[in-house]
Amino acid sequence: MTTSTSPAAKPLRADARRNRETVVRAARELFAEQGVDAPMDEVARRAGVGAGTLYRHFPDRGALVLAVVQDDWQVVLDAEVRALEGDGDPVDDLDRWLTALAFHQASMRGLVAAIVDCATKGCRDDPLVRHCATTMEAAARLLARAQATGRLRADLTAPEVLDLVNGVVLASDRHSDQLSQVRRLLPIVLAGLRG
Amino acid sequence: MTTSTSPAAKPLRADARRNRETVVRAARELFAEQGVDAPMDEVARRAGVGAGTLYRHFPDRGALVLAVVQDDWQVVLDAEVRALEGDGDPVDDLDRWLTALAFHQASMRGLVAAIVDCATKGCRDDPLVRHCATTMEAAARLLARAQATGRLRADLTAPEVLDLVNGVVLASDRHSDQLSQVRRLLPIVLAGLRG
DNA sequence: CGGGAAACGGAAGGTGTCTCCGTTTTCACG
DNA sequence: CGTGAAAACGGAGACACCTTCCGTTTCCCG
């Protein structure tokens, strides 16, 4: 369904489930307004729960951020599968997918930064780190397919390409309209990938 | 109002000048070790002064960061003048200068991020903001000169180009070896500038 | 129901930023 | 030399945010 983090999802008590959802809703709202750096206390306050409750459900900011963006992120990941199955031009597919990823990452101020620094701290079994790994694998597949056409630099690696996309989003983060800045900068980087 | 860049720098008292220098030295050392996000208190402690003294000399982290990197930054700015006066290939000159700028920005972890967010908050007469403006003008001149050759996308603006460079450095910031990551990613972006 | 487990909330402890103000140091001038 | 006003000092403390801990409340199964 919506949020199935682990294969064996233990059944939460009714009040717990309700609170969890309330918190995610409040966080989504607040993050959209103020960016994902908004105070955790404020999330709790807005959700009408105590700080303890917040932290029991989401041990750190990364976990909360993931819960908030997971569904949208998954949509991007699914798009990769469709691209692989389709018969579109591999280079165009890569461009389109990276663009979709960048737009997703630019949907909330501070999102990429939060993801990156949670990913650098987090251990390998952290859900967010796993999502990053999955994204990396998707990128690697699309990249390999695009490189096979010979129209892309052959020496590029998936981490490099994703770093470049991250960079564009990071650099756009402070602009009042992140999205249009990404729309402007990303094509330049994508052109660079062709060497 | 004590800025080394102001035209009429009023003479500091002997102890004040001594402390200021001690603080900058301590900050340079600490920032090199831990990145520019190192606690201000720790800078003060290491310099052997009170927090009050630190903040009197440098009202915010941005001011301190500027004091620490100013000289190196100036070297980059001076390089632009030499490039303009020389008869090198304009596109190569631009590449080289942007590379020098990026390397400078990657010299300390967190430097670009600190500069960017101080620049977004700071008022127009903030010394750091002025340095950014000067850098922008330098970039604009080199860019215009390079565009005149017709070998660069004609629609690029200086803010966009600098944002792209910033992005590369930002994306490299978390890597253990920022410099080699910049060395790897930047040429890709520079290639993109030629469209 | 009733009791044990699950979940709750908010107070308290930790860290970092920045300010305020009583005290100390400098230095220009008599 | 003094000496006193202005400049500079330092560190305590107010504030903001993060996170943990634990006494209390709520759920739900038998």
Side-chain angles (χ1 to χ4, degrees):
Chain A
M1 285 301 159
T2 44
T3 47
S4 60
T5 19
S6 53
K10 53 205 160 184
L12 287 173
R13 228 169 64 175
D15 53 346
R17 171 164 276 301
R18 204 176 331 115
N19 271 333
R20 189 182 198 282
E21 277 167 18
T22 306
V23 166
V24 172
R25 251 195 312 275
R28 179 171 299 127
E29 206 180 285
L30 192 66
F31 289 175
E33 285 169 22
Q34 308 189 3
V36 302
D37 295 328
M40 295 293 264
D41 294 7
E42 177 69 11
V43 175
R45 204 191 55 70
R46 203 180 271 220
V49 305
T53 301
L54 172 56
Y55 279 96
R56 192 164 337 94
H57 286 297
F58 307 101
D60 56 28
R61 170 174 253 102
L64 180 55
V65 167
L66 179 59
V68 166
V69 302
Q70 194 169 34
D71 290 355
D72 284 353
W73 194 344
Q74 191 57 49
V75 169
V76 176
L77 292 177
D78 292 346
E80 184 256 353
V81 175
R82 265 183 277 113
L84 278 187
E85 287 172 348
D87 61 347
D89 174 64
V91 176
D92 285 353
D93 282 348
L94 178 65
D95 278 12
R96 260 194 293 274
W97 187 74
L98 290 175
T99 303
L101 180 63
F103 281 12
H104 163 61
Q105 287 176 334
S107 64
M108 282 172 174
R109 181 161 280 114
L111 179 57
V112 211
I115 289 176
V116 162
D117 86 33
C118 284
T120 40
K121 289 178 202 164
C123 40
R124 232 176 311 286
D125 65 331
D126 180 297
L128 190 139
V129 171
R130 275 210 304 271
H131 256 255
C132 287
T134 305
T135 305
M136 185 69 78
E137 289 154 20
R141 283 188 293 267
L142 284 175
L143 176 63
R145 183 157 159 274
Q147 280 172 323
T149 66
R151 304 200 329 265
L152 232 64
R153 285 162 100 110
D155 60 344
L156 291 172
T157 66
E160 286 165 359
V161 172
L162 288 189
D163 268 357
L164 284 167
V165 172
N166 280 349
V168 166
V169 178
L170 285 170
S172 304
D173 234 26
R174 70 194 157 95
H175 286 74
S176 52
D177 186 355
Q178 304 169 57
L179 276 182
S180 69
Q181 184 69 4
V182 168
R183 214 191 313 276
R184 184 94 184 95
L185 298 185
L186 192 60
I188 298 170
V189 169
L190 295 180
L193 298 184
R194 307 203 179 139
Chain B
M1 306 317 179
T2 55
T3 53
S4 55
T5 34
S6 49
K10 58 183 161 191
L12 288 174
R13 231 172 62 176
D15 54 345
R17 190 163 35 73
R18 204 176 330 117
N19 271 332
R20 189 182 198 281
E21 278 166 20
T22 306
V23 166
V24 172
R25 252 196 310 276
R28 194 186 328 271
E29 206 181 284
L30 192 67
F31 288 175
E33 286 170 21
Q34 307 189 5
V36 303
D37 295 329
M40 295 292 264
D41 293 6
E42 176 69 11
V43 173
R45 204 191 55 68
R46 203 181 270 219
V49 304
T53 300
L54 172 56
Y55 279 96
R56 193 167 335 95
H57 285 298
F58 307 101
D60 56 28
R61 169 174 255 102
L64 180 54
V65 167
L66 179 59
V68 165
V69 302
Q70 193 169 32
D71 291 354
D72 284 355
W73 194 344
Q74 191 57 50
V75 169
V76 176
L77 293 177
D78 293 345
E80 183 256 353
V81 176
R82 266 182 277 113
L84 277 189
E85 288 173 347
D87 61 347
D89 174 63
V91 176
D92 285 354
D93 282 347
L94 178 65
D95 277 12
R96 259 194 294 274
W97 187 75
L98 291 176
T99 303
L101 180 63
F103 281 12
H104 164 61
Q105 287 176 335
S107 64
M108 280 173 175
R109 181 162 280 113
L111 179 56
V112 210
I115 289 176
V116 162
D117 86 33
C118 284
T120 40
K121 289 178 203 166
C123 40
R124 235 175 314 285
D125 65 332
D126 180 297
L128 190 138
V129 172
R130 275 210 304 271
H131 255 256
C132 287
T134 305
T135 305
M136 185 69 79
E137 288 154 20
R141 283 188 292 266
L142 285 175
L143 176 63
R145 184 158 158 274
Q147 279 173 323
T149 67
R151 288 189 280 128
L152 232 64
R153 285 162 99 110
D155 60 345
L156 291 172
T157 67
E160 287 165 359
V161 172
L162 287 189
D163 267 357
L164 284 167
V165 173
N166 280 350
V168 166
V169 178
L170 285 170
S172 304
D173 234 27
R174 69 193 158 95
H175 286 74
S176 52
D177 186 355
Q178 304 169 58
L179 276 183
S180 69
Q181 184 68 3
V182 169
R183 214 190 312 276
R184 183 96 185 93
L185 298 186
L186 191 59
I188 298 171
V189 169
L190 295 180
L193 298 184
R194 304 198 183 145

